[in-house]
Amino acid sequence: MNNYFKISFFFLTCFLVCQLSAQDWNGISVPADAGPGNTWKLQEAPSDDFNYVFNETSQLSNFGSNKWYNFYHNPWNGPGTTYWQYNHVSVDGSDLVLRASRNPSTAKLGVPGVNSGCITSNNRVLYPVFVEARVSVADIVLASDIWLLSPDDTQEIDIIECYGGDEQGNQFFSQFIHLSHHSFVRVPFTDYQPRDFNSWWARDGVSNWGEYCWNGGNRRYVRIGVNWISPFHFEYYVDGEVVRVLYDKAVATKVGNTWQYTYPTATNGNLDFESSGFQAMQTYATGSNYSFQTLQAASNASSVSIIDPYNFQGGNGFNKEQDIIINVESQDWHVLAGRTPTDAQLLDPARNKMLVDWIRVYKPVPSGNTDPGGNRLIVEAEGFVNTGGTFNDAFAGGPGLGVNEFSIGINYVNSGDWAEYNLNVARAGTYAITYRIATPSNGAQIQLLADGVLASTTNVPNNGQWDRYGTLSGGSVFLSAGTHTIRINASGSNTWQWNLDKITLVRVSGGRSSDKVIAFEPSESKKIPGDNEVYLYPNPVRDELKFTGQDIVRIVIYNMLGTEVVNASPENHSLDLSTLSEGIYSVKVIRAGRTETHRIIIER
């Protein structure tokens, strides 16, 4: 090979390598927070820039280096008057193209149907995960959708559901992007989704998303994404801006320039609805900026889940792996209202296509095993994510002797200090908790709390070897899938010292044996409240619920539908709950001058 061809081959190779590595989203940062100590890592298998060619085919086919296939994830051919067809899917070198056309059959709903394209990923995603796409919706009275769906069709997260053209009375819906999710029971078929007005998100200046994206033939795109943080926590992003957040029992939505914090209400176990047909929501607060703390407070004030109020998922929230599905469809509720495209609209090649420029998927991973504050992640294991604060490597009220060679964590903790861990648990189960400390220089008492409920109390004797670590058992607690707070209190009356190192959770029931260990350094240490704190224990509870604290006037317990099931005055700091069924309950503790809300789990 002569030098000319060598040089040409070199530059051609470099060009091809750059083309392969320079994906369309390069330079566009992930707008969501990966969490303390984490950074985002691209998941190559489910991500696609669609910079290749896949021609329409009449056969079920894999494409995109086996990332996708050109149909739905089971043999069903579509909702309403939809007929998903293999040959309505293509990739044109820069975009995924899903087109629509007329199907003359009237077998569905008695009117002519719609052929359209649908694709499903060969790779599934599971929280914590960020999924984002750049989309141009079809300018036609059909839904352009990107969604996540569990293989058993029981859990669905809609990233975008957008109805295009404004014909046939679609003017109202075409101005919104629907941000929602579904919790299903298959037999008998039952569907829950948030139906509050704010789930229909509008942008100032856009009156019709189909017209906006068609743009006179010069197509425009919108970036849309979901940060699936935990089974009870979703964040929605539009063009890199967070616009809606669902957390446990409340939701925050950006309406214009104002954030609205609301939560659902229920009557006799059924969600309340306005006369307009939208779900009734109680406003908790408004603000100019998003605040997760305000959303948490709204959730604490609510007794009805925004994620799964009818407990279709058994208290586990959205905890299943999900397929990525992209499609165009003609939904039954639109058709029944007379909103269906005409033949002329379906024949217009400029308007009858949904385009997707790219879709990307990221997972949070430890940033070099160190968070920005220097906290060392000791072990990362399947099913857990540390969502806590930063590590405080300073003495916590003690003499300030510094960090010795045996210590990693908080040093010389005195009575009244605590260390807290925020953990995201993937699968519900009973977990044995252990923690490692150096033996105190004086006798000590250690309390371990899970979600504010006392799990165990351990007395630790002084053996004069405070600089040698030992592992102590914190007992076992049931943790549902989701985010939990684990706290170690240095209690008791003595002024004493310890070196707190790490906490470990081991699943002992309710999951696979491979889901074994997670260990994190403590997030911070602080003073704990006084002895008048309310603790509910054991949790989970079978028959008798016990509690601590003074000035308790009444205890009111609600099920997950918001129905009051217990209303009692405290006697001997205990309640008989033997008549209640298994599940998650909200406990309102009414005290002299204030009210507290706790959560318990009943097991049988």
Side-chain angles (χ1 to χ4, degrees):
M1 183 182 293
N2 63 37
N3 287 339
Y4 172 79
F5 285 108
K6 286 181 180 179
I7 295 171
S8 299
F9 180 77
F10 171 79
F11 281 108
L12 176 61
T13 301
C14 291
F15 173 78
L16 291 174
V17 169
C18 290
Q19 287 293 99
L20 290 173
S21 61
Q23 289 140 330
D24 290 356
W25 53 82
N26 275 14
I28 303 176
S29 61
V30 176
D33 186 357
N38 292 331
T39 188
W40 291 110
K41 181 179 180 181
L42 179 69
Q43 306 300 291
E44 295 282 356
S47 302
D48 201 344
D49 56 19
F50 298 114
N51 291 339
Y52 54 88
V53 173
F54 171 69
N55 294 318
E56 292 183 354
T57 175
S58 59
Q59 297 179 336
L60 179 65
S61 304
N62 284 313
F63 66 95
S65 301
N66 205 39
K67 291 178 184 288
W68 311 95
Y69 55 93
N70 57 344
F71 201 68
Y72 188 60
H73 78 167
N74 65 39
W76 186 50
N77 68 352
T81 57
T82 306
Y83 296 86
W84 285 319
Q85 306 287 354
Y86 302 141
N87 63 357
H88 281 52
V89 175
S90 63
V91 181
D92 65 4
S94 60
D95 289 310
L96 169 71
V97 182
L98 303 179
R99 69 180 178 93
S101 69
R102 172 63 69 206
N103 187 313
S105 173
T106 59
K108 293 185 175 184
L109 302 180
V111 298
V114 174
N115 297 315
S116 64
C118 176
I119 71 170
T120 304
S121 64
N122 280 310
N123 300 279
R124 292 173 179 152
V125 297
L126 179 66
Y127 75 93
V129 67
F130 179 80
V131 184
E132 186 180 42
R134 187 170 183 261
V135 182
S136 183
V137 305
D139 185 22
I140 197 168
V141 187
L142 296 171
S144 296
D145 301 327
I146 299 181
W147 42 311
L148 310 178
L149 183 63
S150 62
D152 62 357
D153 296 337
T154 62
Q155 298 178 6
E156 174 184 328
I157 301 174
D158 296 333
I159 299 175
I160 182 174
E161 185 177 31
C162 190
Y163 304 90
D166 61 1
E167 302 87 353
Q168 289 86 40
N170 192 49
Q171 291 87 349
F172 175 80
F173 296 103
S174 64
Q175 63 186 303
F176 298 104
I177 292 176
H178 199 208
L179 306 173
S180 190
H181 70 275
H182 295 257
S183 177
F184 294 106
V185 173
R186 303 314 301 184
V187 181
F189 180 81
T190 313
D191 172 18
Y192 160 77
Q193 68 169 319
R195 287 180 165 85
D196 58 304
F197 181 79
N198 284 351
S199 67
W200 297 88
W201 184 82
R203 170 183 284 167
D204 290 344
V206 178
S207 60
N208 182 319
W209 280 100
E211 289 288 327
Y212 172 86
C213 288
W214 174 61
N215 191 30
N218 184 21
R219 297 290 287 257
R220 277 190 292 218
Y221 296 76
V222 58
R223 277 171 53 205
I224 191 93
V226 66
N227 186 20
W228 180 15
I229 299 172
S230 81
F232 301 94
H233 193 179
F234 316 146
E235 294 178 339
Y236 291 92
Y237 289 79
V238 179
D239 284 333
E241 178 186 22
V242 62
V243 297
R244 183 168 166 91
V245 184
L246 288 83
Y247 174 74
D248 200 7
K249 301 189 293 296
V251 56
T253 311
K254 189 176 184 183
V255 181
N257 293 319
T258 301
W259 278 92
Q260 297 181 4
Y261 300 84
T262 60
Y263 57 82
T265 61
T267 302
N268 297 325
N270 294 310
L271 293 170
D272 297 328
F273 282 83
E274 306 283 1
S275 59
S276 62
F278 291 103
Q279 186 176 341
M281 302 292 284
Q282 178 67 45
T283 299
Y284 177 82
T286 60
S288 57
N289 296 302
Y290 170 65
S291 165
F292 180 59
Q293 290 73 25
T294 303
L295 180 57
Q296 283 181 309
S299 178
N300 291 336
S302 171
S303 58
V304 182
S305 170
I306 191 69
I307 304 297
D308 185 27
Y310 296 115
N311 205 28
F312 293 160
Q313 307 305 323
N316 295 316
F318 279 51
N319 65 340
K320 299 176 182 177
E321 285 188 322
Q322 301 202 10
D323 295 315
I324 303 173
I325 300 173
I326 307 176
N327 69 270
V328 173
E329 61 186 48
S330 173
Q331 296 180 349
D332 54 0
W333 64 284
H334 263 295
V335 175
L336 294 173
R339 295 186 290 270
T340 186
T342 66
D343 289 346
Q345 291 163 351
L346 287 169
L347 286 170
D348 188 342
R351 298 174 181 265
N352 68 357
K353 297 182 179 70
M354 173 188 181
L355 307 180
V356 181
D357 182 21
W358 49 258
I359 185 168
R360 59 179 183 168
V361 178
Y362 288 83
K363 295 281 284 183
V365 298
S367 179
N369 285 341
T370 303
D371 72 13
N375 185 14
R376 185 162 67 91
L377 175 64
I378 300 173
V379 177
E380 183 189 34
E382 180 181 2
F384 299 88
V385 176
N386 182 13
T387 59
T390 57
F391 174 50
N392 180 4
D393 190 18
F395 71 91
L401 298 180
V403 179
N404 63 52
E405 62 180 312
F406 300 102
S407 176
I408 303 173
I410 296 173
N411 296 280
Y412 309 114
V413 180
N414 291 318
S415 178
D417 291 335
W418 55 263
E420 188 170 273
Y421 310 76
N422 294 318
L423 301 179
N424 190 318
V425 177
R427 297 176 182 86
T430 300
Y431 292 83
I433 300 178
T434 61
Y435 43 89
R436 201 170 69 134
I437 69 169
T439 306
S441 58
N442 297 313
Q445 186 182 84
I446 299 173
Q447 295 176 334
L448 188 136
L449 294 87
D451 298 326
V453 178
L454 184 65
S456 68
T457 300
T458 304
N459 292 313
V460 184
N462 169 29
N463 67 2
Q465 296 184 357
W466 57 266
D467 58 352
R468 296 294 185 268
Y469 282 116
T471 300
L472 301 175
S473 172
S476 296
V477 296
F478 178 88
L479 299 177
S480 61
T483 302
H484 298 273
T485 300
I486 307 298
R487 178 186 288 192
I488 298 178
N489 285 337
S491 57
S493 58
N494 291 335
T495 299
W496 52 277
Q497 301 167 354
W498 66 352
N499 286 341
L500 174 62
D501 182 4
K502 63 182 179 180
I503 186 170
T504 302
L505 275 71
V506 179
R507 185 191 306 276
V508 295
S509 70
R512 303 194 301 266
S513 59
S514 62
D515 301 331
K516 284 230 174 161
V517 178
I518 184 70
F520 291 107
E521 312 234 358
S523 59
E524 56 183 325
S525 65
K526 298 177 181 177
K527 294 292 182 181
I528 63 171
D531 294 334
N532 199 23
E533 183 72 41
V534 171
Y535 298 123
L536 306 181
Y537 66 98
N539 193 10
V541 57
R542 294 187 183 276
D543 297 316
E544 185 182 20
L545 176 67
K546 299 179 181 180
F547 47 91
T548 64
Q550 307 299 320
D551 306 324
I552 299 176
V553 178
R554 296 195 71 77
I555 291 184
V556 185
I557 301 179
Y558 303 87
N559 62 21
M560 290 301 288
L561 299 181
T563 304
E564 182 182 295
V565 293
V566 172
N567 190 324
S569 298
E571 294 184 7
N572 300 320
H573 284 83
S574 68
L575 283 175
D576 180 8
L577 303 184
S578 59
T579 61
L580 298 183
S581 58
E582 283 189 322
I584 301 175
Y585 292 81
S586 175
V587 182
K588 181 181 292 185
V589 181
I590 301 172
R591 308 179 71 182
R594 66 187 189 276
T595 299
E596 301 177 12
T597 302
H598 300 261
R599 177 173 291 192
I600 62 170
I601 297 170
I602 295 181
E603 284 187 328
R604 297 286 179 235

